[in-house]
């Protein structure tokens, strides 16, 4: 057989032995697993189930391809707008998760009021199912925060018809009131109304209701912490919102309302530019309307004074060549007017004011710069709502706005300068035309000047009216920024507690607890428990028998025809001893067995008596000699004996006859006792007396077996003095009593020759550890025990 196969076989045997250590405690595992699973089910029934609610929205990225975005590229290249390089979609996610948005949501839904119902010992939250509603008229946030910290803000409510009784859960204070009337509860003034739409779950429904008012700050912090907002895909603007909560309907309302509040704010931001543009247009319309009225009045007075009708028909021939001039002059004048107005508006405003957009100025560069400027102002104003002027982002934006303001102003001045140059060129052309119409009467020239002013004012007036309508239309049809893909919905399966995980965890814990206890017990145990411990620690000394643990109700002595486990164990021990006495086969009778142990209390006398009874039941003549002269125990079994003399007296007094000291026992006619007698002051010297050998030689002639019940050999040297006369030494080790470290003493004693022909007898073995781990049963020939009796034996 190869060494590898031997190693494998040894490992397999060791593994089997380790498993067997735990299998014999199988009732522990059953009870532990059962209790753990029961506790897991109790936990599942008592714990609040938490559900995950989801909603999905798409953020409309309207500015992605707009000229406003592309126009910023030139400034970004120069490093002017470096602070704007942020992900807009992540900004929107940050806004959705912001405290301000959650505060608006909580305030809209009144979620700082929690409705409760009390069912036996369990308090549950009720949402939209309670028979009353609560409105807060006044609220002192400071007092509420103090009362919340002291758990004084929860009230039970009961009513009869229109009368209400509120009971504070903390101090039991009662407040009587009526439905619909203001109620002062200390930190707030509330009104409680009946819910006319309430329908009981059952006709016999008996539920006790209550409510708790919490600070909005704490509620906002709770929901803000639990809110999940993340991109479905990195390349999309699809955002999935998630919220965990014990009340699915409540979580759904929170997500839906959060989307509504987000869209409201987005619409407000979008309309802010349009509102400022409308204000600018209205102011300009008032001015131009006044100027147009003035021109028309002048024209009316001019014609009345000169009695004019149709001057154009008279001067049409002269002014045909001036039509193109008039058209260009009109356009340039309009552009100059708009440019001047924009410059005035820009100089009078500040960093928080938006510039009018889309007024019709020629030159895409100026319009693009105005759009870029407005975008920066909107970003600054939105961040400033939840920040201060010292915020680095605000400071950076102010610098960028100042730079952009300067750029816009320079562009406007450059545009105006270009328009002035164009106007000068037109004026030069006008001189040529003027020479051609010099023959036109001054009246016609004056009339045409008035008409020209009237047309300019009318064109500008109509242009502003058109822009106002366009601006009003864009203000009215502003679409929400977040398009709802999926309204808030709740998964049917709770996310916590996870039933399968809890039950499996309970099963695992129930299984591991006994393993841990048994393993810890084995690790910490320094006592001999079963024969394996002896075989490992003292391989040099054979084990002749194992004696099982005996209950107090059972007899400790073996009787004739005894079929108990105790009797069988001693029969097995005697059979094993025969193999050890094979070298002494020439000795037909008078076999001397010395019974000893390491320390007291290991069962030497118990073993000696039952060993003798077993031999006596086999029709062997047996005597038990009390050889422990210091602490004799044999007298306990010799109840009723009147003799006080024994071994010590025989060794001292040579006049005593041995037969006079021997007494037949009541247990068996073949069993005699020779007690230790009087306790001498010098046991060791006495045991060295020659009469000890003579006594044992005399006993050999009359008895088949002589069993010497001696003293513990580790404590005194008495046993070593007697050992020289013994044919066999039975060394008693008591399970769960003898320390493993003490097993070295018999090994050393055997090596030193102090003891010879040594064999172990393992006493008081637990039935679960009896034999080879009780694998093959220990009750052969006895009544078979029921499952419940076997179960109880492990406890």
């Amino acid at each position: 057989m190869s060494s590898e196969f031997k190693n494998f076989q040894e490992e397999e045997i060791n593994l089997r032995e380790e498993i067997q250590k735990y299998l014999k405690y199988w009732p522990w595992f059953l009870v532990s697993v059962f209790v753990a699973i029961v506790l897991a089910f109790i936990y599942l029934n008592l714990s609040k189930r938490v559900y995950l609610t989801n909603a999905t929205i798409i953020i409309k990225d309207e500015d992605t391809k707009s000229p406003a975005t592309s126009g910023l590229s030139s400034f970004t290249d120069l490093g002017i707008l470096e602070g704007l390089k942020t992900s807009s979609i992540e900004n929107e996610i940050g806004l959705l998760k912001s405290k301000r948005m959650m505060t608006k949501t909580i305030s809209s839904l009144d979620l700082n009021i929690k409705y409760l119902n009390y069912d036996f010992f369990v308090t549950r939250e009720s949402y939209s199912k309670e028979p009353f509603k609560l409105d807060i008229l006044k609220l002192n946030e400071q007092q509420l925060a103090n009362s919340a910290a002291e758990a004084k803000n929860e009230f039970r409510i009961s009513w009869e018809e229109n009368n209400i009784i509120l009971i504070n859960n903390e101090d039991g204070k009662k407040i009587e009131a009526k439905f619909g009337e203001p109620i002062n509860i200390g930190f707030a003034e509330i009104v409680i109304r009946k819910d006319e739409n309430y329908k009981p779950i059952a006709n016999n429904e008996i539920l006790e209701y209550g409510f708790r008012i919490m600070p909005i700050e704490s509620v906002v912090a709770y929901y803000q912490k639990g809110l999940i907002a993340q991109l479905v895909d990195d390349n999309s603007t699809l955002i999935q919102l998630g919220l965990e909560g014990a009340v699915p309907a409540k979580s759904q309302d929170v997500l839906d309302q959060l989307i509504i509040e987000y869209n409201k704010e987005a619409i407000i931001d979008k309309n802010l530019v349009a509102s400022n543009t409308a204000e600018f247009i209205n102011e300009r319309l008032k001015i131009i309307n006044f100027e147009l009225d003035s021109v028309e009045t002048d024209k009316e007075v001019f014609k009345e004074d000169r009695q004019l009708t149709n001057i154009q028909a008279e001067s049409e021939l002269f002014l045909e060549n001036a039509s193109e001039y008039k058209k260009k002059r009109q356009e340039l004048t309009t552009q100059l007017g708009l440019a001047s107005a924009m410059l005035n508006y820009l100089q009078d405003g500040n960093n928080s004011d938006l510039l009018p957009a889309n007024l019709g100025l020629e030159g895409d560069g100026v319009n693009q710069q105005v759009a870029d400027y407005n975008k920066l102002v909107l970003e600054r104003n939105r961040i400033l709502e939840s920040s201060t002027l010292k915020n680095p982002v605000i400071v950076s934006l102010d610098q960028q706005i100042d730079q952009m303001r300067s750029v816009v102003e320079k562009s406007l001045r450059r545009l105006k300068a270009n328009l002035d140059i164009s106007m000068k060129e037109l004026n030069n052309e006008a001189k040529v035309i003027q020479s051609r119409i010099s023959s036109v009467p001054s009246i016609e020239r004056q009339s045409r000047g008035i008409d020209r002013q009237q047309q300019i004012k009318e064109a500008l007036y109509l242009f502003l009216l058109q822009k106002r309508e366009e601006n009003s239309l864009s203000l009215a049809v502003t679409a929400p920024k977040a398009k709802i893909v999926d309204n808030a919905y709740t998964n049917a399966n709770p996310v916590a507690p996870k039933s399968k995980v809890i039950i499996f965890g309970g099963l695992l814990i129930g299984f591991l607890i006994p393993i841990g206890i048994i393993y810890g017990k084995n690790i910490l145990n320094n006592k001999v428990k079963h024969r394996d411990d002896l075989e490992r620690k003292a391989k040099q000394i054979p084990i002749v028998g194992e004696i099982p643990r005996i209950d107090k109700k059972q007899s400790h002595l073996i009787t004739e025809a005894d079929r108990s486990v105790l009797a069988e164990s001693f029969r097995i021990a005697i059979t094993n001893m025969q193999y050890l006495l094979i070298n002494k086969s020439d000795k037909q009778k008078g076999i001397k067995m010395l019974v000893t142990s390491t320390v007291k209390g290991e069962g030497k006398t118990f073993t000696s008596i039952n060993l003798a009874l077993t031999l006596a039941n086999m029709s062997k003549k047996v005597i038990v000699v009390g050889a422990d002269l210091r602490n004799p125990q044999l007298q306990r079994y010799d109840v009723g004996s009147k003799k006080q003399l024994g071994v010590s007296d025989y060794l001292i007094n040579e006049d005593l006859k041995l037969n006079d000291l021997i007494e037949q026992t009541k247990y068996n006619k073949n069993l005699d006792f020779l007690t230790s007698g009087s306790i001498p002051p010098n046991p060791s010297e006495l045991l060295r007396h020659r009469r000890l050998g003579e006594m044992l030689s005399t006993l050999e002639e009359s008895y088949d077996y002589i069993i010497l019940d001696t003293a513990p050999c580790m404590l005194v040297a008495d046993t070593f003095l007697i050992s020289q006369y013994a044919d066999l030494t039975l060394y008693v080790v008591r399970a769960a009593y003898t320390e493993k470290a003490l097993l070295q003493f018999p090994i050393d004693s055997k090596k030193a020759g102090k003891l010879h022909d040594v064999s172990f007898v393992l006493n008081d073995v637990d039935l679960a550890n009896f034999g080879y781990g009780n694998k093959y049963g220990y009750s052969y020939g006895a009544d078979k025990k029921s499952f419940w009796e076997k179960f109880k034996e492990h406890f």
Side-chain angles (χ1 to χ4, degrees):
M1 186 181 294
S2 65
S3 61
E4 293 183 0
F5 181 77
K6 288 182 179 179
N7 292 334
F8 174 77
Q9 196 173 31
E10 289 177 1
E11 290 179 3
E12 184 180 6
I13 293 173
N14 292 337
L15 179 61
R16 189 183 304 117
E17 290 176 355
E18 289 297 322
I19 295 175
Q20 189 65 32
K21 290 180 182 179
Y22 297 95
L23 288 180
K24 62 187 177 182
Y25 294 104
W26 58 267
W28 289 24
F29 287 91
L30 288 180
V31 172
S32 178
V33 169
F34 176 77
V35 171
I37 291 178
V38 169
L39 292 176
F41 276 105
I42 293 174
Y43 172 78
L44 289 174
N45 289 330
L46 294 181
S47 60
K48 293 182 179 179
R49 285 174 171 76
V50 179
Y51 298 88
L52 177 62
T53 302
N54 291 316
T56 308
I57 59 175
I58 289 179
I59 303 298
K60 296 180 180 179
D61 195 4
E62 298 176 350
D63 296 332
T64 302
K65 298 180 180 180
S66 65
T69 305
S70 60
L72 293 176
S73 58
S74 58
F75 297 102
T76 304
D77 294 338
L78 296 174
I80 298 175
L81 302 179
E82 191 68 28
L84 293 179
K85 286 184 177 180
T86 57
S87 176
S88 61
I89 192 64
E90 295 202 358
N91 290 340
E92 302 305 325
I93 291 177
L95 182 60
L96 282 166
K97 297 174 68 176
S98 66
K99 180 180 179 181
R100 180 165 55 87
M101 294 300 299
M102 188 57 70
T103 301
K104 291 182 178 180
T105 302
I106 299 302
S107 300
S108 299
L109 297 174
D110 291 330
L111 294 186
N112 59 323
I113 304 172
K114 180 182 285 188
Y115 297 94
L116 308 170
N117 65 56
Y118 305 94
D119 187 7
F120 294 101
F121 300 103
V122 180
T123 301
R124 293 186 174 87
E125 182 178 357
S126 174
Y127 185 74
S128 300
K129 296 179 181 178
E130 56 281 349
F132 65 92
K133 294 295 179 184
L134 185 146
D135 295 325
I136 299 177
L137 303 179
K138 295 180 181 179
L139 180 63
N140 189 316
E141 288 287 347
Q142 185 61 41
Q143 291 184 10
L144 175 60
N146 295 336
S147 64
E150 299 172 5
K152 292 183 179 179
N153 63 336
E154 185 174 323
F155 295 85
R156 291 176 182 257
I157 180 172
S158 60
W159 63 86
E160 184 176 353
E161 294 182 355
N162 203 38
N163 297 319
I164 305 172
I165 297 178
L166 296 181
I167 302 175
N168 190 296
N169 269 6
E170 178 69 17
D171 53 21
K173 182 180 178 181
K174 293 184 178 180
I175 301 175
E176 297 183 359
K178 294 182 179 296
F179 280 112
E181 292 183 356
I183 306 171
N184 191 333
I185 57 174
F187 56 82
E189 188 172 337
I190 62 174
V191 170
I192 299 177
R193 300 176 287 102
K194 280 186 178 181
D195 188 357
E196 302 298 336
N197 299 323
Y198 173 73
K199 294 181 180 180
I201 300 174
N203 294 330
N204 58 349
E205 177 186 18
I206 301 176
L207 290 175
E208 188 175 1
Y209 287 92
F211 62 87
R212 182 187 302 146
I213 300 177
M214 299 170 292
I216 290 183
E217 291 288 333
S218 64
V219 180
V220 169
Y222 171 78
Y223 281 101
Q224 188 180 8
K225 182 179 179 181
L227 180 65
I228 302 170
Q230 57 187 8
L231 280 173
V232 175
D233 187 86
D234 292 339
N235 297 323
S236 69
T237 59
L238 196 66
I239 298 177
Q240 186 176 50
L241 302 175
L243 185 64
E244 293 182 358
V247 184
K250 189 175 185 179
S251 300
Q252 292 173 12
D253 288 348
V254 170
L255 290 184
D256 289 338
Q257 188 64 33
L258 179 64
I259 296 172
I260 292 173
E261 296 296 334
Y262 172 79
N263 279 331
K264 284 182 180 178
E265 183 153 316
I267 290 173
I268 291 174
D269 285 344
K270 288 181 180 181
N271 289 342
L272 193 57
V273 174
S275 298
N276 282 273
T277 302
E279 182 180 352
F280 171 78
I281 291 173
N282 289 332
E283 291 178 358
R284 294 303 302 164
L285 281 174
K286 289 180 182 178
I287 297 173
I288 294 173
N289 187 44
F290 175 77
E291 292 176 353
L292 185 59
D293 288 342
S294 177
V295 172
E296 290 178 347
T297 302
D298 292 343
K299 182 178 180 180
E300 182 181 355
V301 172
F302 179 79
K303 287 186 176 183
E304 287 180 353
D305 291 342
R306 292 164 179 77
Q307 297 181 351
L308 298 176
T309 57
N310 190 359
I311 302 175
Q312 186 176 0
E314 300 175 0
S315 59
E316 183 176 0
L317 182 62
F318 300 100
L319 299 177
E320 288 178 354
N321 295 328
S323 60
E324 186 67 21
Y325 159 77
K326 295 176 185 177
K327 182 178 179 181
K328 290 182 179 181
R329 184 179 179 84
Q330 180 179 335
E331 291 174 356
L332 288 176
T333 304
T334 300
Q335 291 294 317
L336 280 171
L338 291 174
S340 299
M342 284 288 289
L343 280 172
N344 294 334
Y345 188 87
L346 185 64
Q347 292 171 355
D348 294 337
N350 54 41
N351 284 1
S352 61
D353 293 334
L354 297 168
L355 294 179
N358 300 325
L359 294 179
L361 284 172
E362 293 181 359
D364 293 337
V366 175
N367 291 326
Q368 182 62 52
Q369 290 168 1
V370 170
D372 293 345
Y373 177 88
N374 287 338
K375 186 173 181 180
L376 289 174
V377 172
L378 281 174
E379 181 69 13
R380 174 187 179 275
N381 293 341
R382 185 170 69 170
I383 296 174
L384 192 60
E385 289 180 3
S386 57
S387 180
T388 63
L389 292 173
K390 296 181 180 181
N391 189 318
V393 177
I394 298 298
V395 173
S396 175
L397 286 173
D398 284 339
Q399 293 175 356
Q400 296 172 22
I401 289 172
D402 290 334
Q403 292 175 357
M404 183 58 75
R405 192 183 189 92
S406 175
V407 170
V408 173
E409 184 177 358
K410 289 179 181 179
S411 297
L412 288 173
R413 293 187 182 280
R414 185 165 54 251
L415 177 63
K416 186 178 178 182
N418 292 336
L419 292 174
D420 288 334
I421 293 172
S422 298
M423 184 63 74
K424 288 180 180 180
E425 292 177 355
L426 288 175
N427 288 334
N428 291 333
E429 295 178 4
K431 292 179 180 179
V432 177
I433 296 173
Q434 186 67 28
S435 64
R436 297 181 63 186
I437 60 174
S438 59
S439 59
V440 177
S442 60
I443 295 175
E444 183 177 357
R445 289 197 307 270
Q446 294 177 16
S447 178
R448 295 302 296 173
I450 295 173
D451 290 340
R452 191 163 48 250
Q453 291 294 325
Q454 183 182 15
Q455 291 173 2
I456 291 172
K457 300 299 181 183
E458 284 179 352
L460 186 56
Y461 184 78
L462 293 175
F463 175 79
L464 291 176
L465 283 178
Q466 180 183 356
K467 290 299 179 182
R468 185 174 68 177
E469 292 302 317
E470 292 176 357
N471 190 67
S472 299
L473 185 61
S474 65
L475 188 65
V477 297
T478 302
K481 188 172 186 178
K483 180 182 178 181
I484 299 175
V485 178
D486 291 321
N487 287 312
Y489 64 94
T490 302
N491 295 325
N493 297 324
V495 295
K498 298 183 180 297
S499 302
K500 292 182 180 179
V501 174
I502 297 297
I503 294 174
F504 178 76
L507 179 66
L508 185 61
I509 292 173
F511 187 76
L512 291 178
I513 287 176
I515 291 179
I517 293 174
I518 295 169
Y519 180 77
K521 186 178 178 182
N522 291 335
I523 291 296
L524 298 176
N525 178 50
N526 63 343
K527 305 290 177 54
V528 175
K529 293 183 63 178
H530 42 69
R531 67 181 297 134
D532 289 344
D533 293 334
L534 285 177
E535 291 174 349
R536 290 193 186 96
K537 293 288 183 179
K539 295 181 180 180
Q540 305 90 331
I541 301 176
I543 303 171
V544 296
E546 295 179 78
I547 302 173
R549 182 172 297 166
I550 306 301
D551 295 338
K552 293 181 179 180
K553 297 179 181 179
Q554 295 176 322
S555 174
H556 285 212
L557 296 178
I558 297 172
T559 60
E560 292 186 21
D562 196 338
R563 299 183 62 195
S564 67
V565 180
L566 179 65
E568 292 295 338
S569 65
F570 275 98
R571 292 189 189 105
I572 294 172
I574 290 173
T575 302
N576 293 334
M577 291 177 201
Q578 301 304 319
Y579 292 99
L580 299 176
L581 293 171
I582 194 169
N583 294 328
K584 305 181 185 298
S585 59
D586 57 330
K587 199 169 185 179
Q588 299 298 324
K589 58 186 303 183
I591 296 174
K592 297 180 286 296
M593 296 182 181
L594 184 146
V595 181
T596 187
S597 67
T598 308
V599 294
K600 63 178 295 186
E602 292 180 298
K604 300 180 299 297
T605 305
F606 167 79
T607 303
S608 300
I609 296 297
N610 281 290
L611 184 62
L613 284 170
T614 304
L615 291 169
N617 291 334
M618 298 168 63
S619 299
K620 301 293 183 180
K621 191 65 175 175
V622 186
I623 185 171
V624 180
V625 179
D628 187 355
L629 305 184
R630 299 174 186 267
N631 185 26
Q633 297 294 322
L634 190 59
Q635 287 86 339
R636 293 189 296 112
Y637 295 92
D638 194 19
V639 180
S641 175
K642 297 180 180 179
K643 293 184 179 181
Q644 301 295 327
L645 303 179
V647 175
S648 61
D649 302 287
Y650 175 80
L651 296 177
I652 295 173
N653 191 351
E654 295 188 5
D655 296 332
L656 291 175
K657 302 297 182 181
L658 186 60
N659 289 335
D660 295 336
L661 301 177
I662 297 173
E663 183 177 5
Q664 185 177 359
T665 66
K666 61 181 179 179
Y667 304 114
N668 193 295
K669 63 181 181 178
N670 295 323
L671 177 61
D672 293 339
F673 278 175
L674 176 58
T675 60
S676 59
S678 304
I679 299 176
N682 54 346
S684 296
E685 288 77 3
L686 196 58
L687 290 173
R688 289 186 175 92
H689 201 282
R690 60 175 176 79
R691 283 176 63 85
L692 177 63
E694 294 175 357
M695 180 189 74
L696 294 176
S697 297
T698 304
L699 293 175
E700 284 183 15
E701 297 175 358
S702 303
Y703 294 94
D704 296 320
Y705 290 93
I706 302 164
I707 299 176
L708 302 171
D709 181 24
T710 65
C713 59
M714 186 177 181
L715 303 179
V716 293
D718 300 0
T719 302
F720 297 136
L721 297 174
I722 305 173
S723 174
Q724 59 182 316
Y725 302 103
D727 297 313
L728 181 65
T729 301
L730 298 180
Y731 204 98
V732 180
V733 176
R734 186 175 180 179
Y737 183 85
T738 305
E739 295 182 4
K740 294 177 182 178
L742 296 180
L743 295 178
Q744 189 62 35
F745 182 80
I747 296 173
D748 295 340
S749 299
K750 181 181 178 181
K751 288 181 179 180
K754 296 179 181 179
L755 298 174
H756 64 89
D757 296 307
V758 183
S759 300
F760 280 130
V761 174
L762 184 58
N763 182 32
D764 200 24
V765 182
D766 184 65
L767 293 179
N769 298 322
F770 193 68
Y772 290 92
N774 194 24
K775 180 177 179 181
Y776 303 104
Y778 54 79
S779 57
Y780 177 76
D783 294 335
K784 191 173 183 180
K785 296 186 178 182
S786 66
F787 173 83
W788 180 245
E789 289 174 338
K790 292 180 181 179
F791 186 86
K792 291 192 294 183
E793 284 179 356
H794 290 79
F795 297 94

